[in-house]
Amino acid sequence: MTRTTSAVARALERIGRLDPALHAFTEVWPDEALTREREAAARRLPLGGLPFAVKGPSGIRSFAARRLIAAGGSPVGATSVPGPGTHWQTWGLGAHGRTVNPWRADRTPGGSSAGSAVAVATGMAELATGSDGAGSVRIPAAWCGVFGLKTTNGLLPSPDRSGLASAGVLARSAAAAEPYLRHVLGGGGPDVAHALPLPLPLPLPAVYSEDLGFAEVDPEVAAVVRAAVDRLVAAGTVRLLGRDAALLDPVGAWTAVRGGSPDDPGAVRVRRTNDERLDALLAGGALLLTPVTPNRPHGHEGPGDLYSTALTWAFNLSGHPAASLPAGFTGDGCPVGLQLAAARGADVRLLAAARAVEDALPAAPVPPAAGRAAAGR
């Protein structure tokens, strides 16, 4: 392995080429990354110097980063998150400016794991850590056209005292996310170390809902996701069940819990009702399929009154693992995500289901920004 052809060297080259325009990173650690890669190769560690990025300034200290480093991963840098005082905005602030969507520079990449999604979408890292308290892994994954997984709440350590946030991973595909589950969840999840890969019998039982019973979804976003679901059915990957996926709108409950009032009567009622309904929907190993967001990527000025989290934060309240996979594009070139949710603790099964789903859907193309960089070599 040499400095000019190694995976880390290639990742660092792409960061140097792309990040001045995309602003996905707040810090880059070239010397440390190359040193870790050489050490991983010398010690024959399983990840062999796999270049990965960490979310935000504290990401390098996270449980996930420590586990990946111990397995031979090589962190190349810290990725952008929203700046101070921008709690409502789903974008990031890199070292030299706001993070831009690699598909359309006039749109946000989503957030708060903004830079992580952009880094993996453009090949600046092979995977990236994230955290998800309301959709912060799944939304940027959807809007950047990559895979994103929110793990079962409580399965991994979380800095969020409310219990809403859960650790997660972003990667170009579900298959590329396997090292995270193998080495981060290994020992902390149900037989993870020897359960991957886990092929599942097809078709997968699933319930489809466009709006979970309450969200207002952009018709074109809904059409892209429905077309993906129809393709899965036609391919024999999914078998739709006749179950009614109607939940209560979680916005008030999420806000109460986040604000430190988990015993608020309204929040308790919503959580109890939705937990009962989700348990019934997901019985027998069924998946729940929805759009990831009700809207397409918005401009950098913000989403206005529309909650991009409308279809994601129910699973932060309930604790279920949920993933985002590329479903296609709207007519104006914006990626759309398909959300898969599974029973609590079924993270390995969810990843296996995601692999089966992505095998039946068209491969996600390379974003224009990454394509231009490759052409310029």
Side-chain angles (χ1 to χ4, degrees):
M1 183 176 291
T2 67
R3 291 175 63 94
T4 57
T5 62
S6 73
V8 168
R10 290 193 298 271
L12 292 171
E13 180 187 16
R14 292 187 74 80
I15 292 171
R17 183 186 298 272
L18 293 173
D19 205 49
L22 295 174
H23 306 148
F25 284 87
T26 58
E27 298 178 52
V28 182
W29 311 310
D31 293 338
E32 297 92 329
L34 290 164
T35 297
R36 287 190 189 277
E37 183 183 39
R38 290 192 294 269
E39 291 175 349
R43 296 171 58 193
R44 298 185 179 180
L45 295 175
L47 291 183
L50 177 85
F52 72 95
V54 299
K55 177 184 177 179
S58 62
I60 194 64
R61 299 191 297 274
S62 69
F63 177 83
R66 296 198 305 270
R67 291 297 293 266
L68 290 170
I69 291 170
S74 185
V76 294
T79 59
S80 64
V81 295
T86 55
H87 64 280
W88 58 268
Q89 290 173 309
T90 48
W91 54 274
L93 185 64
H96 305 292
R98 64 190 182 191
T99 311
V100 303
N101 192 302
W103 291 95
R104 286 193 50 163
D106 63 331
R107 305 293 176 93
T108 171
S112 60
S113 303
S116 287
V118 175
V120 299
T122 55
M124 292 189 283
E126 294 192 23
L127 61 81
T129 65
S131 58
D132 189 314
S136 291
V137 164
R138 290 161 287 162
I139 292 170
W143 287 356
C144 291
V146 300
F147 174 80
L149 170 70
K150 177 196 87 69
T151 58
T152 298
N153 288 58
L155 189 60
L156 295 171
S158 170
D160 181 10
R161 288 180 291 181
S162 73
L164 293 171
S166 184
V169 60
L170 298 102
R172 281 286 298 166
S173 66
E178 280 191 5
Y180 181 95
L181 266 74
R182 188 182 300 277
H183 297 289
V184 176
L185 290 189
D191 300 322
V192 171
H194 64 267
L196 294 172
L198 180 67
L200 298 176
L202 303 179
L204 304 169
V207 179
Y208 172 69
S209 175
E210 175 183 306
D211 57 10
L212 290 178
F214 58 82
E216 295 183 10
V217 181
D218 179 324
E220 192 174 358
V221 169
V224 170
V225 173
R226 182 70 220 204
V229 172
D230 289 344
R231 185 178 184 121
L232 295 174
V233 173
T237 303
V238 161
R239 173 174 59 89
L240 293 181
L241 305 175
R243 299 176 184 174
D244 183 18
L247 304 182
L248 300 180
D249 190 341
V251 58
W254 188 94
T255 303
V257 174
R258 182 71 172 179
S261 302
D263 297 326
D264 174 82
V268 171
R269 179 182 65 86
V270 169
R271 297 185 83 174
R272 181 184 298 120
T273 300
N274 282 354
D275 282 354
E276 291 172 353
R277 294 180 182 179
L278 284 169
D279 288 343
L281 288 170
L282 300 172
L287 300 169
L288 177 56
L289 311 179
T290 77
V292 174
T293 64
N295 54 336
R296 65 193 76 194
H298 55 72
H300 293 280
E301 72 281 357
D305 295 330
L306 186 65
Y307 284 111
S308 304
T309 54
L311 296 168
T312 52
W313 51 10
F315 304 109
N316 297 91
L317 279 169
S318 68
H320 292 81
S324 172
L325 286 86
F329 294 82
T330 54
D332 57 353
C334 293
V336 175
L338 167 66
Q339 181 169 226
L340 280 64
R344 297 179 193 86
D347 299 66
V348 173
R349 178 181 173 82
L350 178 58
L351 183 66
R355 289 203 61 172
V357 166
E358 71 182 12
D359 285 345
L361 295 176
V366 175
R372 285 194 294 271
R377 288 183 176 178

